[in-house]
């Protein structure tokens, strides 16, 4: 039972964490149905009409539309995902699906990615409707399945089969932006205006099966290991975009340091350094290996998974380079491929998000950045909906917030959730 004395946004985020919506990828997931029904019931309690879409059993998406004061203005999509990556309980200091609050923080899988934002969306809308008010424009509230698997069984199917959900919408906001970082003891907010492309590939090596005791020069495991090591050790060159150049200019203004060494400048952002540096270049990280079935049997086949995140517009070039790195004997199979995106740091919605942060944390600069990962905004882009990352959180300087995405002991400060709810409600009232 969640402590009733906690702020509502914390209680809802805690409840959502208790739904184990682990997504192992490749269609192997526990499912989002119960979490979606919880969200739907909350929205119905606010007097909204709710629609569900479950194209695959238990992979449930939910949507509600909130009428705005000005129906002539384009609608705004405010969306989140209900699935989470798995958590190994033995690695955590708390039960990752208990949703407990301790030391002023909410702990659990999804506290950062992204049941925190889901709770902020629900309570921000509740603040407006319970006060007898309306948002400035129509809001389309959408909560998707399967984002942690590239959205192939979630947002991609919703966009394909329920495009009417997003009728009249031109812009969207979701996760991984609007949070604060500390740069040389000065706070700044990062607003996400772009995302790298994601290409998940499988490497396949084939050889001759045989007894483990023999001399053997056609070993699939050896071939695969060499290819994986080559990719894992590749350091891709800097390739800046207009967004990353603007990020560096903002960091330079804060620190007085030169933009000539982007990695050194990113280091001024403390725990966020690795997150920012990954946006300056392509990354290719091996994440899984599969080979063999017995200690003394040399297998015929070995496979590896590689998580490739690519600067927008360089997808084909990177795949060509990967083929050169691994050589002709290794097959590359594309498992998931999506698009990269980049949007100018300008326009009415950007100005409104910056202004909302400014009203709640005056005088703190807001800097654009390119997300090294991806969100469901990519699916909405196929409907010509421009997406941004805006899950506003004012965070302690010493908290490695970005390191908690898919990490152990994921947690977020209670006061940060309350801040985010207020900022989001402010934006939805006024934009």
């Amino acid at each position: 039972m969640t402590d009733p004395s906690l702020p509502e946004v914390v209680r809802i985020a805690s409840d959502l964490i208790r739904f184990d919506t682990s997504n192992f990828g490749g269609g192997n997931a526990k499912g989002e149905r119960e979490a979606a029904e919880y969200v739907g019931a909350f929205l119905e309690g606010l007097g909204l009409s709710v629609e569900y879409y479950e194209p695959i059993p238990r992979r449930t998406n939910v949507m509600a539309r909130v009428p705005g004061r000005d129906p002539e203005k384009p609608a705004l999509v405010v969306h989140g995902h209900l699935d989470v990556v798995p958590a190994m309980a033995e690695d955590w200091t708390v039960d990752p699906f208990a949703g407990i609050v301790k030391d002023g923080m909410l702990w659990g899988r999804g506290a950062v990615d992204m049941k925190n934002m889901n709770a902020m969306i629900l309570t921000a809308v509740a603040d407006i409707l319970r006060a007898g008010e309306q948002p400035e424009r129509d809001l389309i509230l959408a909560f998707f399945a399967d984002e942690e698997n590239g959205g192939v069984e979630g947002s991609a199917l919703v966009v394909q089969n329920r495009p009417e959900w997003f009728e009249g919408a031109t812009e969207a906001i979701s996760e991984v932006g609007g949070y604060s970082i500390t740069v040389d003891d000065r706070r700044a907010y990062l607003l996400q205006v772009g995302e790298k492309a994601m290409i998940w590939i499988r490497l396949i090596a084939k050889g001759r099966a045989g007894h483990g005791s023999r001399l053997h020069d056609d070993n699939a495991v050896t071939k695969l290991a060499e290819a994986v090591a080559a990719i894992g050790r590749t350091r891709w060159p800097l390739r800046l975009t207009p967004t990353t150049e603007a990020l560096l200019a903002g960091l330079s203004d804060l620190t007085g340091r030169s933009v000539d060494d982007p990695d050194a400048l990113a280091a001024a952002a403390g725990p966020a350094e690795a997150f920012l540096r990954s946006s300056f270049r392509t990354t290719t990280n091996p994440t899984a290996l599969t080979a063999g079935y017995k200690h003394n049997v040399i297998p015929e086949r070995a496979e590896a998974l590689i998580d490739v995140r690519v600067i927008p517009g360089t997808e084909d070039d990177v795949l060509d380079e990967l083929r050169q790195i691994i050589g002709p004997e290794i097959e590359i199979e594309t498992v998931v491929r999506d698009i990269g995106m980049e949007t100018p740091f300008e326009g009415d919605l950007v100005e409104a998000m910056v202004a909302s942060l400014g009203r709640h944390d005056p005088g703190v600069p807001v800097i654009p950045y390119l997300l090294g990962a991806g969100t469901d905004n990519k699916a909405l882009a196929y409907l010509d909906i421009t997406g941004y990352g805006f899950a506003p959180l004012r965070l302690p300087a010493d908290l490695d917030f970005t390191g908690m995405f898919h990490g152990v002991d994921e947690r977020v400060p209670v006061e940060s959730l309350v801040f985010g709810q207020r900022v989001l409600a402010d934006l939805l009232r006024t934009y």
Side-chain angles (χ1 to χ4, degrees):
M1 179 70 180
T2 306
D3 183 351
S5 67
L6 291 169
E8 183 179 36
V9 65
V10 181
R11 298 198 308 270
I12 291 174
S14 176
D15 288 346
L16 289 172
I17 288 169
R18 292 194 184 105
F19 295 108
D20 182 354
T21 54
S22 295
N23 188 348
F24 298 88
N28 178 14
K30 294 193 173 182
E32 298 83 1
R33 182 184 293 167
E34 289 78 15
E37 290 172 346
Y38 175 97
V39 168
F42 184 90
L43 294 172
E44 288 172 342
L46 298 176
L48 299 173
S49 177
V50 171
E51 292 186 39
Y52 294 95
Y53 177 52
E54 188 175 284
I56 296 168
R58 297 194 49 75
R59 310 312 304 277
T60 315
N61 307 271
V62 58
M63 183 278 294
R65 192 168 189 127
V66 185
R69 293 190 298 272
D70 188 348
E72 299 301 315
K73 288 186 174 181
L76 176 68
V77 183
V78 187
H79 64 97
H81 64 84
L82 295 170
D83 62 324
V84 295
V85 296
M88 303 296 289
E90 59 269 26
D91 296 334
W92 288 54
T93 57
V94 301
D95 180 346
F97 296 104
I100 68 168
V101 174
K102 72 169 187 173
D103 302 326
M105 295 194 181
L106 173 64
W107 297 61
R109 180 59 87 213
V112 167
D113 185 13
M114 66 168 291
K115 292 176 176 178
N116 60 340
M117 174 64 168
N118 295 335
M120 288 157 53
I121 294 169
L122 294 173
T123 52
V125 171
D127 283 350
I128 296 169
L129 297 182
R130 288 170 183 164
E133 303 171 358
Q134 288 180 282
E136 175 62 20
R137 64 185 68 219
D138 282 11
L139 303 178
I140 300 166
L141 310 180
F143 300 85
F144 296 116
D146 202 46
E147 191 273 347
E148 297 294 0
N149 185 48
V152 295
E153 295 186 350
S155 59
L157 294 180
V158 175
V159 164
Q160 177 181 326
N161 299 319
R162 291 292 185 274
E164 67 276 9
W165 279 12
F166 309 103
E167 184 178 352
T170 57
E171 296 170 313
I173 58 173
S174 188
E175 59 176 332
V176 205
Y179 60 90
S180 71
I181 60 173
T182 301
V183 183
D184 281 354
D185 298 323
R186 293 185 61 188
R187 187 162 60 250
Y189 288 93
L190 294 178
L191 180 57
Q192 190 255 98
V193 298
E195 303 178 9
K196 289 166 73 176
M198 181 181 79
I199 308 175
W200 284 350
I201 61 173
R202 176 181 288 111
L203 304 185
I204 302 171
K206 296 178 181 178
R208 190 176 70 255
H211 198 289
S213 68
R214 297 183 58 184
L215 290 172
H216 201 96
D217 59 2
D218 190 21
N219 190 312
V221 176
T222 302
K223 294 175 188 177
L224 181 74
E226 290 170 343
V228 168
I231 288 177
R233 291 177 179 142
T234 297
R235 292 295 174 262
W236 297 81
L238 287 168
R239 189 153 184 168
L240 300 181
T241 73
T243 300
T244 49
E245 288 174 345
L247 166 72
L248 292 169
L251 295 176
S252 179
D253 289 343
L254 283 170
T255 64
R257 303 181 193 181
S258 170
V259 298
D260 293 340
D261 187 342
D263 289 328
L265 187 52
E273 172 188 0
F275 222 57
L276 298 183
R277 289 181 61 205
S278 71
S279 70
F280 302 157
R281 50 177 60 79
T282 286
T283 59
T284 50
N285 286 308
T287 56
L289 297 168
T290 304
Y293 53 90
K294 194 173 187 298
H295 208 131
N296 62 346
V297 178
I298 298 170
E300 186 178 28
R301 180 184 178 104
E303 300 181 359
L305 302 182
I306 312 293
D307 189 342
V308 183
R309 307 294 175 127
V310 180
I311 299 298
T314 68
E315 294 89 338
D316 290 336
D317 292 341
V318 168
L319 284 174
D320 288 343
E321 182 67 20
L322 285 171
R323 291 187 182 96
Q324 295 297 316
I325 291 170
I326 65 175
E329 286 197 273
I330 306 295
E331 177 186 345
I332 296 180
E333 176 186 300
T334 299
V335 180
V336 177
R337 177 171 175 172
D338 66 21
I339 59 173
M341 305 186 302
E342 195 166 16
T343 302
F345 185 59
E346 60 187 37
D348 292 344
L349 178 53
V350 169
E351 292 176 5
M353 291 186 285
V354 171
S356 294
L357 283 169
R359 285 190 287 272
H360 293 266
D361 200 358
V364 179
V366 181
I367 304 171
Y369 90 109
L370 178 74
L371 176 64
T375 74
D376 285 319
N377 278 327
K378 291 179 177 180
L380 295 173
Y382 288 103
L383 299 176
D384 294 323
I385 296 172
T386 302
Y388 301 88
F390 190 69
L393 296 167
R394 183 171 58 198
L395 299 164
D398 59 350
L399 181 68
D400 184 8
F401 177 74
T402 59
M404 290 184 197
F405 282 84
H406 300 188
V408 173
D409 286 343
E410 190 178 339
R411 59 198 182 276
V412 64
V414 166
E415 62 181 20
S416 299
L417 293 175
V418 173
F419 173 86
Q421 173 190 348
R422 291 172 178 165
V423 174
L424 197 57
D426 185 322
L427 173 70
L428 301 182
R429 278 189 174 98
T430 57
Y431 176 66

